[in-house]
């Protein structure tokens, strides 16, 4: 029985090659629905465990299948996911094309939740390209869409992302306010990985504002929550920040203990 996030992730890790092989077999056998559902179900695992190659490979097979059968909703879903994976691997132009195409399909279908998901992705890409004002514009549109359909999960992520972009513009207090709003929502929703992300975001904003002690306190609160949520990328980010802050404060003897 997979009774926790960690257990589910451990099962996916153990069956990683099986998932990949099963997707390839489904594609070869023209089992189109199965071909796109497998990467769709596995994408949270791929994202949390940074399995970018597997994600892109299975996603490509899924896209081929949904295009063959003309399933536009599934195509838009996979394009959004592909945009995220491409963005995480710094293939920004290709990622932007995927997300823009996904948004257009969502608009054609009248799919507001899907369109806001694409908007959030476009905001992330704009951030990666250093255009923080455009990132805020895309994500504010997503936030408005989320609130219009009472999608509190999407609202929490949109708030978190706007906070990151405000921080990049040097608006630390505005960033922290957004992150605290997202933290409240993540906790209400029982989203542990989101809670860890919000705590990490607050710490990074404190650090950027020149408050290392406040950042360190926040990171120590964040680290066990992040580990609970299973996001290895955020865990590595948090532990790196802790080590650097302690080194800058001349407290190098604490570094080893801080990462336990």
């Amino acid at each position: 029985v997979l009774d926790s996030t960690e257990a589910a992730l451990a099962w996916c890790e153990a069956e990683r090659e099986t998932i990949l092989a099963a997707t390839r077999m489904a594609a070869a056998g023209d089992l189109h629905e199965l071909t796109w559902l497998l990467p769709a179900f596995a994408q949270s695992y791929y994202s949390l465990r940074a399995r970018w190659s597997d994600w892109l490979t299975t996603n490509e097979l899924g896209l081929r299948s949904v295009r063959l059968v003309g399933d536009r909703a599934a195509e838009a879903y996979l394009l959004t996911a592909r945009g995220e994976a491409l963005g995480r691997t710094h293939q920004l132009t290709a990622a932007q094309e995927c997300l823009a195409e996904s948004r257009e399909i969502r608009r054609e279908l009248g799919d507001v939740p899907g369109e806001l998901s694409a908007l959030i992705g476009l905001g992330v890409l704009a951030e990666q390209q250093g255009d923080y004002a455009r990132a805020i514009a895309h994500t504010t549109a997503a936030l408005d869409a989320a609130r219009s359909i009472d999608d509190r999960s999407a609202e929490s992520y949109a708030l978190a992302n706007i906070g990151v972009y405000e921080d990049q513009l040097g608006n630390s207090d505005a960033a922290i306010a957004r992150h605290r709003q997202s933290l409240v929502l993540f906790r209400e929703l029982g989203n542990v990985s989101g809670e860890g992300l919000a705590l990490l975001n607050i710490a990074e904003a404190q650090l950027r504002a020149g408050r290392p002690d406040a950042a360190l306190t926040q990171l120590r609160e964040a680290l066990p929550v992040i580990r609970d949520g299973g996001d290895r990328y955020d865990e590595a980010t948090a532990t790196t920040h802790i080590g650097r802050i302690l080194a800058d404060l001349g407290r190098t003897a604490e570094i080893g203990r801080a990462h336990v």
Side-chain angles (χ1 to χ4, degrees):
V1 178
L2 303 178
D3 56 359
S4 68
T5 299
E6 192 58 38
L9 289 170
W11 182 89
C12 288
E13 192 71 13
E15 299 297 333
R16 175 189 164 205
E17 293 297 333
T18 303
I19 296 168
L20 185 58
T23 307
R24 285 175 168 150
M25 288 175 66
D30 292 330
L31 301 173
H32 298 302
E33 185 175 22
L34 184 59
T35 303
W36 83 264
L37 285 174
L38 280 167
F41 285 131
Q43 71 185 35
S44 291
Y45 154 66
Y46 290 145
S47 178
L48 288 170
R49 288 294 186 258
R51 295 294 188 183
W52 314 125
S53 178
D54 286 8
W55 192 358
L56 289 168
T57 297
T58 56
N59 177 279
E60 184 176 359
L61 292 169
L63 271 173
R64 175 182 171 276
S65 280
V66 296
R67 284 168 172 162
L68 282 171
V69 298
D71 188 336
R72 298 284 278 165
E75 181 182 2
Y77 181 89
L78 291 177
L79 280 167
T80 299
R82 188 168 190 81
E84 180 185 344
L86 288 167
R88 295 290 288 268
T89 54
H90 308 291
Q91 301 176 64
L92 303 187
T93 300
Q96 189 163 352
E97 290 171 357
C98 285
L99 289 169
E101 187 178 355
S102 174
R103 186 185 181 191
E104 285 307 309
I105 296 172
R106 305 286 198 179
R107 276 179 167 172
E108 290 172 16
L109 298 174
D111 178 3
V112 177
E115 185 178 354
L116 77 85
S117 178
L119 282 165
I120 286 175
L122 286 166
V124 171
L125 284 176
E127 179 213 11
Q128 289 177 293
Q129 293 165 331
D131 191 342
Y132 305 116
R134 183 160 57 94
I136 289 173
H138 280 312
T139 314
T140 299
L143 179 62
D144 292 341
R147 286 172 170 165
S148 76
I149 58 173
D150 197 28
D151 186 337
R152 289 167 66 76
S153 178
E155 181 182 355
S156 63
Y157 281 106
L159 285 165
N161 287 5
I162 292 170
V164 170
Y165 310 146
E166 290 282 11
D167 195 25
Q168 292 288 350
L169 288 170
N171 303 325
S172 299
D173 289 338
I176 290 168
R178 289 296 196 179
H179 293 319
R180 292 201 186 282
Q181 287 178 292
S182 74
L183 178 61
V184 170
L185 282 174
F186 284 131
R187 283 175 169 165
E188 287 179 1
L189 295 167
N191 184 337
V192 178
S193 62
E195 181 184 352
L197 172 67
L199 291 166
L200 175 59
N201 284 339
I202 293 168
E204 290 185 329
Q206 295 281 22
L207 190 57
R208 191 180 292 274
R211 306 165 192 156
D213 289 312
L216 187 58
T217 298
Q218 200 73 66
L219 287 163
R220 284 175 165 157
E221 180 183 356
L223 190 54
V225 179
I226 292 169
R227 284 175 172 157
D228 233 15
D231 192 320
R232 295 281 177 80
Y233 185 88
D234 283 352
E235 181 180 349
T237 301
T239 54
T240 299
H241 282 323
I242 290 171
R244 286 177 178 167
I245 293 170
L246 288 172
D248 289 344
L249 294 174
R251 295 159 58 181
T252 53
E254 298 177 41
I255 291 175
R257 296 196 304 273
H259 293 179
V260 175

